[in-house]
Every structure is written in structure tokens, then in C-alpha cells.
Amino acid sequence: MGKTWSHPGKSLLVFCEKQMDPTSIPSEQIGDASGDRVQVVDVDALEQSLWGPSSGTTAAAALAALATAEHDLIVLFQRVGRYSEEVTNWAIRHASASGRCRILSPVGMVGAEGPSGFEQLLSHSTKVTAYSGEAELHAALRAWRVIPMGKVWRHPIEVGLEEVAQLAVKALQRAGAPEDAASDVVGSLVNAELEGYPSHGLLRVPEYAKSIRTGRIDANATPEKHRIDGTRMVIDGRWSFGELVGQTVVESAIASRGGNAPAVIAVRRSGHLGRLAHIAKPIAEVGMIVLGFSNFSGGAQKVAPFGGAEARLATNPLVFGCPVPGDAPLVVDMSSSASSDGSVQAVARAGGVFVESPLSDRLGRPASYPQDLQRKPTETFLTGAAGYKGFCLALIAEVLSGVLAGPDFVASGKRSRGNAAFFLTLPLEVFERTAHDVAADVARLAAYLTSCPPLPGSNGVRLPGSRSKTMPVSDTGRLRIEAGLLEEITRLAGA
């Protein structure tokens, strides 16, 4: 899942415990040893040294070692047990001796024999901020520019790319998919993993296997093309794998490139299309512009319209692709909701909770637990990306994909089982400018934007599609994958 907490340009000292309550985070997911100055202390191990038979010099050495750097912030996470007097008093002394150090402490912290000097400090010192519960903890951390991205309690393991791909293919085959189709689908899922999008990667294997068994995916079907005229086409996915439908969209769009007119493609009855970038990028690479929208054929209503207290929309993604001479194409692939459903699933599967949550409850309060989107669908829903703007994008996607290309949309009374989509492709010569001139101007635009002076601490402007996220691959070329997911894929493969 990458870094979970970081404190840019600051020194952060964190006390936490291995057996954590819901407000704690594991030490392995705090900061990044390569950059952030983050020191993590397992308070259980520390206090065992404080209380143990050789506690004298061991405790003194352990606490002295913590003072080797001047910390900007000391965080004591809420814990089931009590912090010892030694730990709390050490924190007080360190903060008092420092000109800049501050302390973040749970309310009501007590020492081994009762209220400690730490609580006394809470009552009068501006160096201490108290919190009660997870929401106040996160708000206080944000005030110190500690950047929370979600807490992850289960950790990934490494597995060979070829090994996990073979397991995934076998899992789909055992569910009823032909080998060729299973290989194509898994290839697309592995690419999503390598691009840094596990939300559209191998976590879909159990979902697809279940969909085959329940008839939501017809693993033996192939998409059918119906050309209305030279510029209009309908692709009936026949509930086949969405990855195969996406390949058909790409082939059809490229085949229409011969003329200088726009072309429109409607997609109906498709399985889950996966990353729309996998459709837009190859179209852009042959020198065309593509704009696409997708809905969920009336189903997967997990997003509330802006101002609403009930889910009435799906995550309805959009995609845009445009060639850039001498560089990777511009590719925008985003959901109209604050997060994709797959991203929520990925955090849930990793055993995490949201800090900056894309979820809300019926009272408009942030919902931290990703599992609630599945477990409490009438009480928890996704919000729109950028509020009302995301709602507007979802509405556009619903009209173009579900109504115009449909007829399966959220108000149709159907709760369909896959995707519908709308794609518009434009040759660069569509307005009688030469392809060379249009491409040159796109390159000028890209260069102008990326030459913008960067903000302090920023890597500068990055155009969408110019590079993928950090690939979850180790130095040995092995893929990092959540352990429970690997176990499930292995079980489905019968291995």
C-alpha cells in the first residue's frame, strides 16, 4: 500500500504497540526509511525493558537512545494498557527541553500508579494536544502536517510474477473460463498491478471466478460488433469478460482511423471493463484522440448524488487519451466518485481503515471502515469526486453510456451485472488541420505545463499518463501482493 504516514521535513517520534486497538497503526507503515525522519518505538518492548529484572541500565539506555535527535512531534497512540511513568515523564522532559517539540496524547493517559505528570502537563501546557478517539487524532495529525493516507494492518508478501499469473489463470479456468480467455484477462490484471493500480489488478480474480460460477460472466462468449454506418458502431459484449470487450473497442477504433471523421462506439452488456486506460492508451498511440465514459448498466449503485443521503449512482469512470509526439500519450482515467470501488476493496482486503475517507454515512459524517460499503450498503456510500463536480461527471457518464448507448441506467429499474460505455474517437485531422501541426501543438502544450516551476518539496508537474505509479515490484522482480489475496487465488486454483 506504500507509505501510510509521513511528516515531510520534520522529525516524528511514534510510540505504538504491536497488539493495536483501532486507533493505532503498525510501525512498518509509518514513514519511509529512505526519506522521512521517522523513529518508531514499540512501546511494549520498551516497557518490558523498563519493568524487567535488568531494568536499570537497560531502561536508561533505551530512553537515552530516543533523545539522539530533537523531535518535532511525539505521538503516543491510544492503547489498551497504560503507559508507564518512565515513558510519559521522559516525553515531558524531552518536550520541555526542546524549543520546538510538541506532544500528541490520548485524553486520560495514566501511569502505572495513577495520574501521571503527563496529565498535569495536559492541563496547562501549550506543548500538548489531547485527543479523544480516532477523528480527533487524525485532525491533530493533519494540523502538524502529518500526512495520512489510510492505515494498513496486514502486510504484503512477495511472489514471482509468472507464478502468480499462472495461479490466476488456473483459478479462472477452474471456474469455467477457456485458457486463452483466462490468459488474456490475467495479463490485463497483472499489467494493472505493475502500473500501480491493485484496485484493478489481481484482487479481481476471486470476483471474476465467482461471476463465472454464478452466470454473471459468460466465460465462453465473445463480443459481437454491429456497424450502423462508417462512423457508428455498437459492441454487444454478450456478458463476456470486459477485458475482451475492451480489446474489441481498441480494434474497432483503430480500424475507423482511415477517414477523417469522428467515430462513436457504444458498448452494451460487457463484463467489468477494468482500467479504461488500457483502452485509451493504444488508441492514442496510433495517433487518435479518444474520450470515453462508462456506467454500470443500472447496477453497483454505491455513490450518493451531491446533497443526497442514499446511493443512486455508480462510480462511473471517464477516460481521455491524446498522442504526444516523442512521449507517452496523455491518458486520464478516473472515477467520478471520490474513490473507485476497487480502491475501497483494496483497503478493506488489506485490513485498513480510511483517514481521509471517500465514504459517508446518511448523516454526512465520514465513514472510516471500507468494509461498511459492502456490509452496510443502505447506510454507507461513496461521495463524488470534488463534491458537486464529481456528481456532474457521473451524470454525464450515465446519460452517454446508459441512456444514449444503453438502455440500462440507474433509473431504468434494472440492476445489471456489468458495464455499458460510450467512446468518441477523433482523428487529429478532424478540423482540417494537419496531423503534424496538431501533434506539434500538443507537444508545445505539454512542454509549457511541465516547465512550470515546482512547489517546494514537489517533483514538479506530471502529466497524466507520463509515468505510472511506483510499481509494486521488489528489487528481485517479485510482485508484492496482500497475503490473504494470494491465499485465496491459490485456493481457487486448486494448488
Side-chain angles (χ1 to χ4, degrees), residues 411-427:
S412 65
K414 300 177 181 179
R415 293 293 185 269
S416 195
R417 60 195 191 192
N419 288 136
F422 168 92
F423 295 94
L424 170 66
T425 61
L426 301 165

Side-chain angles (χ1 to χ4, degrees), residues 6-369:
S6 67
H7 196 234
K10 304 289 184 180
S11 177
L12 177 65
L13 176 64
V14 178
F15 289 89
C16 61
E17 54 185 332
K18 290 183 178 179
Q19 299 299 323
M20 292 159 288
D21 67 10
T23 62
S24 298
I25 56 177
S27 60
E28 292 86 346
Q29 292 294 325
I30 304 174
D32 183 341
S34 65
D36 294 325
R37 291 180 291 160
V38 178
Q39 186 173 3
V40 179
V41 177
D42 178 357
V43 72
D44 283 339
L46 174 63
E47 291 183 340
Q48 285 177 14
S49 72
L50 294 172
W51 299 333
S54 59
S55 60
T57 56
T58 305
L63 289 172
L66 301 180
T68 56
E70 185 177 2
H71 303 287
D72 295 274
L73 177 63
I74 297 175
V75 182
L76 295 103
F77 282 93
Q78 186 72 53
R79 61 187 301 234
V80 178
R82 298 177 298 179
Y83 283 87
S84 67
E85 290 283 354
E86 290 89 342
V87 170
T88 53
N89 288 334
W90 177 90
I92 294 170
R93 289 194 300 271
H94 187 79
S96 298
S98 168
R100 69 174 189 247
C101 185
R102 299 293 183 268
I103 300 175
L104 182 56
S105 163
V107 169
M109 179 181 291
V110 294
E113 303 300 329
S116 68
F118 201 94
E119 280 195 302
Q120 298 173 25
L121 188 64
L122 283 176
S123 64
H124 67 268
S125 176
T126 58
K127 285 181 173 289
V128 180
T129 297
Y131 68 87
S132 177
E134 194 168 11
E136 289 186 11
L137 166 64
H138 299 155
L141 286 167
R142 285 195 295 272
W144 266 296
R145 293 187 66 244
V146 178
I147 303 172
M149 296 298 293
K151 299 184 299 187
V152 181
W153 298 341
R154 301 172 194 158
H155 306 297
I157 60 174
E158 293 183 358
V159 62
L161 276 173
E162 184 176 349
E163 175 188 352
V164 72
Q166 289 176 350
L167 287 171
V169 170
K170 288 180 181 178
L172 295 183
Q173 283 186 274
R174 288 190 77 213
E179 182 177 2
D180 289 349
S183 296
D184 286 345
V185 169
V186 170
S188 179
L189 300 182
V190 169
N191 284 338
E193 291 279 354
L194 295 178
E195 292 161 353
Y197 295 92
S199 59
H200 290 71
L202 292 169
L203 71 76
R204 299 288 178 174
V205 172
E207 173 190 331
Y208 290 176
K210 180 179 178 180
S211 293
I212 295 169
R213 291 191 171 99
T214 59
R216 293 174 65 86
I217 289 178
D218 184 346
N220 293 291
T222 55
E224 290 183 350
K225 296 183 286 186
H226 171 59
R227 185 173 294 279
I228 300 172
D229 55 32
T231 61
R232 294 179 295 164
M233 175 180 288
V234 175
I235 296 175
D236 181 359
R238 301 175 61 225
W239 303 123
S240 60
F241 285 112
E243 287 79 7
L244 305 184
V245 177
Q247 293 173 13
T248 306
V249 172
V250 172
E251 294 165 1
S252 302
I254 293 175
S256 70
R257 186 170 176 253
N260 291 335
V264 289
I265 299 173
V267 173
R268 300 169 182 163
R269 301 201 307 163
S270 171
H272 179 245
L273 284 168
R275 289 200 70 214
L276 296 186
H278 291 172
I279 296 174
K281 185 178 180 181
I283 296 174
E285 285 176 337
V286 299
M288 301 174 73
I289 292 173
V290 58
L291 177 66
F293 296 87
S294 176
N295 81 342
F296 286 75
S297 303
Q301 295 186 26
K302 300 180 180 181
V303 185
F306 187 79
E310 183 177 276
R312 295 288 179 93
L313 291 163
T315 56
N316 292 8
L318 63 95
V319 71
F320 171 80
C322 177
V324 180
D327 206 343
L330 298 176
V331 179
V332 177
D333 181 1
M334 57 176 282
S335 63
S336 56
S337 52
S339 172
S340 68
D341 182 38
S343 294
V344 176
Q345 289 184 43
V347 176
R349 182 174 278 279
V353 299
F354 287 116
V355 178
E356 299 289 348
S357 181
L359 303 176
S360 176
D361 66 15
R362 295 176 68 90
L363 297 179
R365 301 171 301 192
S368 296
Y369 296 96

Side-chain angles (χ1 to χ4, degrees), residues 441-461:
D441 283 350
V442 170
R444 288 175 57 200
L445 172 62
Y448 177 71
L449 295 175
T450 54
S451 66
C452 180
L455 284 170
S458 165
N459 292 324
V461 175

